[in-house]
Amino acid sequence: MKPLIEFQEVCKYYQMGDTTVVAADHISFQVFKGEFVAIVGQSGSGKSTCMNIIGCLDVPSDGTYLLDGRDVGQMNKNKLAEIRNELLGFIFQQYNLLPKLNLTENVEVPLMYAGVSRGERRERAVQSLERVGLGDKIRHKPQELSGGQQQRVSIARALVGEPAVILADEPTGALDSRTGREVLAMLQELHAAGHTIVLITHDNSIAVQAQRIIRLEDGRVVYDGPANAPEAVVTPKAAGV
């Protein structure tokens, strides 16, 4: 089976004055269709760099990133935007909803970029909002909702384009613990329904809700395996203690 996501010795370097910062250091892994993978690490571990590369927001300095078999590192900005909208659905920590648009219009945004007709956009957006339990609020504005409900809208927006991969960046970070658990339960339901999910988090208690954990330290993979294995649990050294 061809992997949906494949990192082959991916490196990312940033220049800060005279210093070269190594944000990703020969990272290799694969994610296959239907997996629920958590990429976990503390600040400076390289997880945000991996997220940006997976999400086609950045490209490797060296090595190869293949998304559904396509070499992302060889794409220009326009092609990156095109493949991002075609294959990826994003769930952000701060929701990134447009305050002047109602919920239906917010969920329609990815379909507008994809050139979907107005009528089909509206129909699919409403169906996506119904799927996350917000079918009775389709004309509400984001500020009329709780944080948990706003995150549900962002999940509906991520789903509406039927992406190959759902990329969730700290999706519970702005939520209280109870609402965070509800969002995680929704992600697990989506995984059970066959969706491929990549979750980015610094929190080990969140990461273990996934099926598999890829743990990063100092830009390198230090663990890649089942989330329920004893060695998947963060060590004091990895926690910076």
Side-chain angles (χ1 to χ4, degrees):
M1 182 188 301
K2 180 180 71 175
L4 273 176
I5 292 169
E6 184 169 11
F7 273 37
Q8 300 174 353
E9 297 289 323
V10 165
C11 299
K12 186 64 185 182
Y13 310 122
Y14 297 101
Q15 201 67 31
M16 298 183 66
D18 295 331
T19 304
T20 300
V21 177
V22 182
D25 189 0
H26 297 88
I27 292 177
S28 296
F29 62 79
Q30 296 177 329
V31 176
F32 291 88
K33 180 177 172 60
E35 283 197 283
F36 185 177
V37 178
I39 298 178
V40 62
Q42 299 303 306
S43 178
S45 65
K47 69 180 187 303
S48 294
T49 299
C50 282
M51 185 206 72
N52 288 336
I53 293 173
I54 292 170
C56 299
L57 301 168
D58 204 350
V59 295
S61 303
D62 200 3
T64 302
Y65 168 41
L66 301 176
L67 177 58
D68 196 27
R70 296 179 235 182
D71 189 345
V72 171
Q74 303 302 312
M75 296 180 183
N76 60 30
K77 288 184 178 180
N78 289 337
K79 192 64 179 177
L80 285 172
E82 181 181 318
I83 195 171
R84 190 162 58 237
N85 197 56
E86 176 189 349
L87 295 178
L88 298 164
F90 291 86
I91 303 171
F92 300 101
Q93 179 176 346
Q94 298 297 337
Y95 324 133
N96 287 9
L97 302 177
L98 300 173
K100 294 184 178 180
L101 302 184
N102 65 34
L103 304 194
T104 304
E105 292 165 339
N106 264 283
V107 174
E108 284 182 37
V109 168
L111 301 180
M112 292 177 63
Y113 287 114
V116 176
S117 68
R118 183 175 181 179
E120 185 180 347
R121 288 200 313 260
R122 183 60 51 91
E123 181 179 354
R124 287 169 63 176
V126 170
Q127 289 175 348
S128 196
L129 285 164
E130 289 174 344
R131 185 174 181 182
V132 300
L134 293 173
D136 60 338
K137 300 184 185 299
I138 61 174
R139 299 190 184 278
H140 284 58
K141 298 288 182 65
Q143 60 268 27
E144 299 177 276
L145 306 181
S146 68
Q149 288 172 325
Q150 289 186 59
Q151 192 59 292
R152 288 189 182 198
V153 178
S154 73
I155 292 172
R157 182 184 57 196
L159 291 172
V160 74
E162 301 177 357
V165 178
I166 297 172
L167 184 57
D169 179 22
E170 301 280 9
T172 64
L175 304 174
D176 62 75
S177 58
R178 180 184 63 81
T179 309
R181 287 194 296 271
E182 291 175 359
V183 168
L184 283 173
M186 186 168 292
L187 291 177
Q188 289 171 331
E189 288 173 9
L190 292 173
H191 171 237
H195 289 276
T196 306
I197 300 172
V198 177
L199 169 67
I200 311 295
T201 183
H202 71 280
D203 189 334
N204 194 67
S205 67
I206 301 296
V208 295
Q209 304 302 313
Q211 176 188 48
R212 170 182 160 209
I213 286 176
I214 299 171
R215 188 177 301 284
L216 301 177
E217 285 183 32
D218 301 323
R220 293 175 175 266
V221 175
V222 295
Y223 175 79
D224 182 354
N228 59 1
E231 56 269 35
V233 178
V234 66
T235 64
K237 177 180 180 294
V241 176

